[in-house]
Amino acid sequence: MDETTDKNPHESSLPGILGVVDSTISRVESVLLASGVLLMAVNTIANVVGRYVFQYSLFFSEELNRILIILITFAGISYAARQGRHIRMSAIYDALPPPARKGFMVLIAAVTALCMFALCYFSIGYITKVATSGRVLPALQVPVYWIFLWVPVGFFMTGLQYSLTAIKNIVSKDIYLSTRVLEGYDNDEQEI
């Protein structure tokens, strides 16, 4: 069997408590994404069956799918950061020698982490304003701010992921796009 198939997908290459944090984030992302996609599929299928077989639609289906899309989107940004799959505009970066690229990658990861934490902070402020408005979803009758709770969680987890990437680049001799992905392009990127 291949070495990569035996490896635990949630195992971290970071030492100590950072590895525990990295593994925990990986597990939370996996649960959120898998359960969100599965619930959306079940909800959509149940609504279609109800509509065409029983001539009765689920009145809450659209609202539930909206909640799940927000969950999947904001859990997905953290997952994409973990996999090193965010868009890169790297013309200047690619022209630099390896030591400068390493420093640039630490700077990029640190600034991105700060931006994610700032967005987390601002999204909490927005949720607080929405919560004081008292608005509720028409079909489910739950407060509207509940559907936005995933936004700061996603930004926070992404900020942590980029912080861990900066740390990984500081403590490692290689250059990493994330804690698991070495720098390179499709034909030479390696997941570790």
Side-chain angles (χ1 to χ4, degrees):
M1 219 178 204
D2 187 16
E3 182 181 314
T4 57
T5 58
D6 290 340
K7 191 173 180 182
N8 179 353
H10 303 295
E11 187 176 330
S12 177
S13 61
L14 291 169
I17 189 72
L18 295 177
V20 173
V21 169
D22 190 31
S23 292
T24 302
I25 292 171
S26 178
R27 290 175 199 282
V28 169
E29 289 166 352
S30 295
V31 167
L32 288 175
L33 289 171
S35 60
V37 170
L38 287 172
L39 284 170
M40 186 180 290
V42 167
N43 180 45
T44 302
I45 291 168
N47 193 37
V48 168
V49 169
R51 183 180 309 132
Y52 291 108
V53 174
F54 303 110
Q55 281 71 44
Y56 180 77
S57 264
L58 299 175
F59 67 95
F60 58 85
S61 185
E62 182 182 337
E63 287 179 1
L64 182 57
N65 277 349
R66 187 179 323 151
I67 294 166
L68 293 171
I69 286 171
I70 293 169
L71 165 71
I72 292 166
T73 300
F74 288 95
I77 59 173
S78 180
Y79 179 81
R82 168 178 304 287
Q83 302 302 321
R85 295 294 178 203
H86 280 290
I87 295 172
R88 293 183 277 164
M89 293 179 217
S90 58
I92 295 170
Y93 175 84
D94 288 344
L96 297 173
R101 281 200 322 257
K102 186 174 186 80
F104 207 45
M105 183 55 71
V106 170
L107 179 67
I108 289 168
V111 168
T112 305
L114 288 174
C115 289
M116 292 295 113
F117 290 134
L119 287 170
C120 176
Y121 174 79
F122 292 127
S123 66
I124 290 170
Y126 175 74
I127 290 170
T128 304
K129 287 180 184 176
V130 172
T132 59
S133 74
R135 292 184 0 211
V136 295
L137 295 171
L140 291 174
Q141 292 296 305
V142 296
V144 170
Y145 74 91
W146 283 18
I147 70 173
F148 298 125
L149 291 177
W150 301 113
V151 176
V153 171
F155 282 139
F156 183 77
M157 287 182 4
T158 306
L160 281 178
Q161 190 59 50
Y162 276 110
S163 298
L164 293 172
T165 299
I167 293 167
K168 177 75 173 186
N169 279 299
I170 290 169
V171 300
S172 174
K173 65 180 178 69
D174 293 319
I175 303 171
Y176 286 87
L177 298 176
S178 72
T179 57
R180 302 176 61 126
V181 180
L182 284 168
E183 120 179 284
Y185 289 96
D186 286 343
N187 58 349
D188 62 347
E189 285 180 358
Q190 300 174 10
E191 185 170 338
I192 57 167

